[in-house]
């Protein structure tokens, strides 16, 4: 289903580092096998993969800290959890069988039994290396794909009351914002006023979509589309009516940051990445 087996992000512009020996201009990230999806919502009721990972980190930390005072009963307790979850990795995603080293587990058990703290630490580090290697390769894209919501099923209406979608309404919003700015630039205040009213109506309609994800939580919507925005829209319309072009432009800039940029930072950046990966 995924078209690209490998995604290469060019980081040339970001990595202008003094020491050229560590500079790199590409990095390779791999798409996780599709079988991973069954361990995430919506295919699964819970975020099973992620919780397995959290438990692994906790077990590693527990064994390491109990090794310091050679607390064998507690090390054994956490070893059982570590073993179970570590082996589960390749049961859950068979394609990742070679990413783990199960033989390290009996070795760790042996050193716990003999209370050999330095070797316990060493083996934990070797296990940790298998964690890190897989994370370096797969974690960023797995996170982008499975932990960001999709917007294609979100219901939203256009100004005529017709069913529309996020993509089209975003285009419309962008056109309306530019309509206001062009009219201000060309001193067509009646057009600017009309367009600013349209912007308010479109943002109201967009507001109806927030609850589809932010169920029973009015705070996110209030933060971006609440009284702060209403005040700004009122001032904008007063400024346009009174021919205060410079102030009007400034307010449009503020609305752009407060509404569009702020919402895009949490929603759009990940959504664009996710869509690219799943196309
Ligand atoms: C929910 C908060 C939210 C707000 C508020 C918001 N956007 Fe967006 N915007 C998104 C999301 C999510 C996407 C990506 C949509 C997708 O992936 O289908 C997006 C995408 C876009 C796009 C790209 C559309 C495309 O076809 O790829 C434009 C242009 C855009 N927004 C303009 C705006 C403007 C202008 C404003 C402010 C007037 C605004 N947006 C306010 C969430 C928001
Ligand atoms: C075969 C691949 C693989 C191995 C081996 C692996 N992980 Fe992961 N791990 C992942 C992937 C993929 C993610 C990203 C999951 C996500 O973001 O939803 C992840 C995420 C995590 C996270 C979540 C990070 C965060 O805060 O979001 C923790 C913690 C973690 N792993 C711990 C471990 C530990 C500890 C080990 C070794 C004992 C380990 N993992 C071994 C693939 C692996
Ligand atoms: C497709 C699902 C989806 C839609 C639709 C959506 N959001 Fe979000 N939003 C999220 C997710 C996921 C997060 C990050 C986790 C969280 O905070 O719940 C988030 C985070 C936020 C945050 C930052 C965290 C917070 O609670 O303050 C704000 C603000 C926000 N959204 C506002 C909005 C507004 C306003 C709308 C409607 C215009 C909207 N969202 C529509 C999924 C969505």
């Amino acid at each position: 289903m995924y078209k690209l087996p490998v995604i290469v992000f060019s980081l040339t512009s970001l990595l202008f580092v003094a020491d050229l020996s560590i500079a790199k201009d590409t990095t390779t990230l791999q798409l996780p096998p599709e079988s991973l999806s069954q361990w995430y919502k919506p295919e699964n009721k819970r975020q099973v993969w992620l919780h397995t990972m959290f438990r692994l980190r906790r077990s590693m930390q527990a064994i390491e800290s109990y090794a310091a005072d050679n607390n064998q009963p507690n090390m054994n307790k956490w070893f059982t959890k570590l073993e179970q979850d570590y082996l589960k990795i390749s049961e859950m995603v068979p394609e990742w069988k070679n990413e783990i080293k199960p033989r390290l587990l009996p070795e760790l058990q042996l050193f716990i039994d003999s209370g050999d703290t330095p070797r316990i630490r060493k083996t934990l580090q070797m296990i940790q290396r298998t964690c890190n290697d897989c994370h370096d390769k797969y974690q960023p894209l797995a996170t982008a794909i499975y932990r960001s919501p999709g917007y294609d099923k979100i219901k939203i209406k256009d100004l005529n009351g017709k069913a529309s979608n996020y993509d089209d309404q975003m285009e419309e919003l962008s056109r309306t914002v530019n309509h206001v700015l062009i009219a201000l630039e060309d001193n067509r205040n009646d057009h600017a006023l009309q367009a600013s009213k349209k912007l308010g109506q479109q943002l109201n309609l967009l507001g109806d979509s927030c609850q589809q994800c932010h169920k029973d939580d009015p705070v996110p919507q209030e933060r971006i589309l609440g009284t702060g925005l209403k005040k700004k829209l009122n001032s904008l319309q007063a400024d346009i009516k009174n021919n205060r072009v410079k102030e009007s432009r400034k307010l449009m800039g503020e609305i752009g940051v407060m509404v569009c940029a702020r919402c895009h930072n949490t929603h759009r950046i990940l959504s664009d990445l996710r869509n690219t990966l799943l196309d």
Side-chain angles (χ1 to χ4, degrees), residues 32 36 40 49-50 53-54 56-57 60 82 86 89 96 99-100 127-128 130-132 134-135 138-139 142-143 146-147:
L36 182 61
Y40 279 96
W49 182 265
L50 194 56
M53 291 293 133
F54 289 146
L56 277 171
R57 177 164 60 189
M60 295 281 284
L82 176 70
Y86 193 70
I89 289 179
W96 276 342
E99 299 286 335
I100 57 169
I127 295 174
Q128 186 63 50
T130 68
C131 318
N132 297 350
C134 184
H135 293 161
Y138 294 105
Q139 189 174 4
T143 306
Y146 295 114
R147 285 208 277 151

Side-chain angles (χ1 to χ4, degrees), residues 50-276:
L50 194 56
H51 286 291
T52 308
M53 291 293 133
F54 289 146
R55 279 198 309 272
L56 277 171
R57 177 164 60 189
R58 203 172 308 132
S59 305
M60 295 281 284
Q61 181 179 331
I63 298 171
E64 199 201 341
S65 61
Y66 288 124
D69 35 279
N70 201 16
N71 182 334
Q72 272 177 329
N74 280 0
M75 274 194 277
N76 276 322
K77 174 179 161 193
W78 287 95
F79 175 82
T80 310
K81 294 180 199 281
L82 176 70
E83 183 179 46
Q84 220 177 36
D85 287 324
Y86 193 70
L87 295 175
K88 232 190 260 164
I89 289 179
S90 63
E91 283 166 28
M92 290 164 88
V93 181
E95 293 89 337
W96 276 342
K97 195 169 124 253
N98 295 327
E99 299 286 335
I100 57 169
K101 293 195 174 134
R103 67 167 172 81
L104 293 172
L105 293 169
E107 286 177 26
L108 182 61
Q109 177 75 80
L110 208 73
F111 299 137
I112 289 174
D113 289 344
S114 60
D116 188 340
T117 304
R119 286 209 172 90
I120 293 174
R121 289 224 175 94
K122 194 123 206 204
T123 314
L124 284 175
Q125 280 163 12
M126 288 162 79
I127 295 174
Q128 186 63 50
R129 206 168 303 141
T130 68
C131 318
N132 297 350
D133 284 347
C134 184
H135 293 161
D136 286 349
K137 260 191 274 176
Y138 294 105
Q139 189 174 4
L141 299 190
T143 306
I145 292 171
Y146 295 114
R147 285 208 277 151
S148 63
Y151 292 85
D152 43 345
K153 292 203 180 72
I154 299 298
K155 295 194 188 75
I156 181 168
K157 285 197 175 121
D158 69 11
L159 282 173
N160 303 318
K162 274 215 218 108
S164 182
N165 58 50
Y166 248 70
D167 261 358
D168 291 348
Q169 288 318 296
M170 285 299 147
E171 287 295 339
E172 290 297 319
L173 272 173
S174 171
R175 289 188 69 83
T176 309
V177 166
N178 275 326
H179 191 174
V180 177
L181 292 172
I182 293 167
L184 284 173
E185 173 90 28
D186 299 335
N187 293 315
R188 291 161 37 115
N189 285 7
D190 47 338
H191 280 257
L193 188 62
Q194 281 302 320
S196 75
K197 287 182 179 159
K198 191 173 167 189
L199 179 62
Q201 290 161 353
Q202 284 174 318
L203 287 173
N204 255 341
L205 289 166
L206 181 66
D208 292 340
S209 74
C210 313
Q211 288 301 312
Q212 290 169 51
C213 294
H214 297 284
K215 294 193 173 79
D216 303 322
D217 182 2
V219 175
Q221 187 172 346
E222 172 58 30
R223 174 158 158 73
I224 289 177
L225 300 175
T227 42
L229 170 67
K230 293 208 175 72
K231 274 194 199 140
K232 288 220 189 303
L233 280 173
N234 286 340
S235 313
L236 174 68
Q237 280 157 19
D239 281 343
I240 296 175
K241 277 186 201 149
N242 291 297
N243 226 354
R244 292 191 288 260
V245 174
K246 204 173 137 212
E247 289 81 353
S248 305
R249 280 209 196 123
K250 187 161 170 270
L251 275 167
M252 282 301 290
E254 286 168 15
I255 290 171
V257 171
M258 189 177 114
V259 176
C260 321
R262 198 183 272 168
C263 207
H264 286 170
N265 281 341
T266 36
H267 304 82
R268 183 182 171 183
I269 296 174
L270 258 188
S271 170
D272 284 354
L273 178 57
R274 180 180 188 269
N275 289 342
T276 310

